[in-house]
Amino acid sequence: MRARLFLRCLSLLVLCAVLAGWTGAYTDVRATETADTEDLEQQKKDTEDKIDSIKSSIDTVEDKIQDLEDSKSDLQTYITQLDGQVNSLSAQIQDLEDQIESKEEEIQVKTAELEEAEAEAADQYEMMKLRIRYTYEQGNQSFLVLLLESKSLADMMNRAEYAMQMTEYDRQMMEKLKETQAQIEAQKEDLEQEKTEQEEMLDEVEEQKSAVNSAIDAKTQEIASYQSQIQTASGEQSEYEKQLAEQEKLLEQIENQIAAAAAAAASADDGDGGASGFLWPCPASHRITSSFGPRTAPVAGASTYHKGIDIGASSGSAIVASAGGRVTTATYSSSAGNYVVVSHGNGISTVYMHASALYVSVGDVVSQGDTIAAVGSTGYSTGPHLHFGVIVNGSYVNPLNYVQ
Ligand SMILES: [Zn+2]
């Protein structure tokens, strides 16, 4: 009774929400402990479902983070390319600036040459004017002076010719200076034109560089946005992982409680049965039709070393749990038919075979004497009987050492 009270307290502490939703799926042959265990099993299943769902959320958020990281990485690669373009454009700009600078130097040289030529022309002109005036003054002072000063006609002619030659010289000199000045002017214009073209190119390249820099700024902002999304997703991931750890801890607690309930149920029935604590599994009949140990197989496929005792009984007779414990197997096999295995703790289990019906499921906690199945003839069987076996630490032992 104390153990039963303990289980009720345990169930009240551990379960809460699940109780409302639980509906008994089986017959009422089982004790309260079974219902409590069923609640625990339901809670275990709910927790496992929650864990699956959280793991799926973690997978989703991890995929999202991976996608964002990929996009970020692509952008970083693109920015590296853009940086390369900026470097190349900067080199072009530097080159053009150098060219413009050297063009300016050439223009300065040409300007100086032009100024020099202009000054020379001006000097030449002044000298020419002086000479022309002299010639005219000579002329104005009349031909007489030329005649008087001339020692001979030849001399006079020479003087006159010289004056004429000087005038021709001045005229030629003026032509030459004008030509030189025009050449320098043209060269200077060419240089100015080249400089203008280079400056236009410089503007163009600087515009390109500015455009690439704008693109880099935009992509850098996109990266920042990705980074921010990655941080948000990482936060979600941490939150899910925290939830996962909590649910896994809860699951472990529930599993411990299930084990504790099974152990409590097993010990709760100690002393209720025979001297060994085990109860005869078939109250309707004590007729042993086949003993434990070596034998001739009664039907093809049946064991020649009999791993339990056969108790002959009419079909439908109650099969009861020999001791309290937890149902670890409740299924059908071609040889054992419908059969149940109940674990009692301390390495001991009991086996009930060839049943016509099973009243328990895996995970159920049963008390000693609970009806768990009905006698039948399923599997390798020649007629209705209960095959009852006892397993201790994985080996079959003679059940008569446990039940009378
Ligand atoms: Zn048997």
Side-chain angles (χ1 to χ4, degrees), residues 6-123:
F6 164 74
L7 274 170
R8 286 216 182 90
C9 292
L10 184 71
S11 70
L12 279 172
L13 279 169
V14 171
L15 321 167
C16 294
V18 188
L19 272 172
W22 182 76
T23 53
Y26 302 112
T27 60
D28 57 356
V29 296
R30 285 155 296 126
T32 319
E33 292 90 334
T34 313
D36 292 343
T37 303
E38 190 129 330
D39 290 341
L40 280 170
E41 289 293 342
Q42 185 59 47
Q43 203 184 28
K44 182 184 167 189
K45 199 188 163 299
D46 289 347
T47 308
E48 281 167 348
D49 287 350
K50 211 177 231 174
I51 284 172
D52 285 347
S53 156
I54 293 168
K55 278 181 176 169
S56 157
S57 297
I58 287 173
D59 283 349
T60 306
V61 82
E62 276 173 353
D63 285 350
K64 189 174 158 192
I65 288 171
Q66 190 53 56
D67 285 350
L68 287 168
E69 291 283 6
D70 287 350
S71 300
K72 187 183 151 189
S73 169
D74 287 350
L75 272 184
Q76 273 163 345
T77 305
Y78 184 48
I79 284 178
T80 305
Q81 287 172 3
L82 291 177
D83 279 335
Q85 284 182 33
V86 167
N87 287 340
S88 155
L89 289 170
S90 295
Q92 281 185 48
I93 287 168
Q94 186 57 54
D95 202 31
L96 283 169
E97 280 172 351
D98 288 349
Q99 283 181 37
I100 288 166
E101 197 182 359
S102 92
K103 201 58 74 179
E104 272 169 353
E105 280 166 13
E106 284 181 57
I107 289 167
Q108 274 172 11
V109 170
K110 286 291 165 197
T111 305
E113 279 176 20
L114 191 61
E115 277 167 5
E116 206 177 310
E118 277 166 349
E120 207 176 308
D123 287 353

Side-chain angles (χ1 to χ4, degrees), residues 161-177:
E161 198 178 343
Y162 175 73
M164 282 171 77
Q165 274 172 357
M166 284 302 285
T167 308
E168 179 62 15
Y169 168 81
D170 279 336
R171 194 184 57 80
Q172 277 176 7
M173 187 60 80
M174 277 304 290
E175 287 296 320
K176 204 180 166 192
L177 281 171

